Amino acid sequence: MPLSQLTVHRHSHSHSHSHREQALITPYGEIDLDSAPLVRECLGQCLRDGIRTIAVDLSPVTFCDCSGLNVFLCTAQRTAVAGGTLRLHHPPATLVRIVDLVGCGFLLLGPPSGRLPPPLGGTPPASALSSDTR
């Protein structure tokens, strides 16, 4: 069984007056169980190289499932701990749907435009708040 065709390109650039490097990661092809480790390795290498601002351009990606999302979430968490950010740009529709279902868009896609995220845990129904006096 052939491995899914995925290639990952990385462009790094640092600003002359500061040492904070940025990387643009562009995967081409499908991100699934077979190819997700390649993406994980590339993103991990960015962190090891001291890069703290990672942008992932997903416009050439034709498919991305939960294993790809998992890689992005794990790396976003590691990047945040290191004081940086990871952002996904132009994610395919399949990934947008998963992200919406899981409700983790604010972690990967930045704050939604004009939409406030729901409060954590939601609000309890009013009936749970009033105490029964019977």
Side-chain angles (χ1 to χ4, degrees):
M1 183 176 142
L3 282 174
S4 27
Q5 294 300 302
L6 181 84
T7 53
V8 180
H9 293 273
R10 171 178 157 185
H11 310 275
S12 305
H13 58 89
S14 56
H15 301 291
S16 51
H17 54 272
S18 75
H19 294 295
R20 292 180 73 75
E21 268 205 74
Q22 299 185 5
L24 172 64
I25 305 297
T26 313
Y28 293 82
E30 299 190 354
I31 303 175
D32 54 23
L33 205 56
D34 290 329
S35 58
L38 177 64
V39 180
R40 184 189 299 272
E41 175 54 35
C42 182
L43 294 171
Q45 189 59 52
C46 287
L47 287 176
R48 288 192 291 277
D49 290 346
I51 292 169
R52 294 294 172 259
T53 305
I54 304 173
V56 184
D57 179 8
L58 294 174
S59 43
V61 171
T62 51
F63 174 82
C64 180
D65 66 7
C66 297
S67 50
L69 175 61
N70 199 22
V71 168
F72 293 131
L73 282 174
C74 289
T75 309
Q77 198 170 15
R78 288 172 57 199
T79 311
V81 167
T85 54
L86 177 138
R87 284 283 177 267
L88 303 183
H89 301 277
H90 316 294
T94 48
L95 184 60
V96 173
R97 274 202 295 277
I98 302 172
V99 165
D100 277 349
L101 283 171
V102 180
C104 59
F106 65 98
L107 288 171
L108 297 171
L109 309 172
S113 48
R115 246 185 20 219
L116 283 174
L120 282 176
T123 49
S127 58
L129 294 175
S130 59
S131 57
D132 244 347
T133 50
R134 276 178 294 182

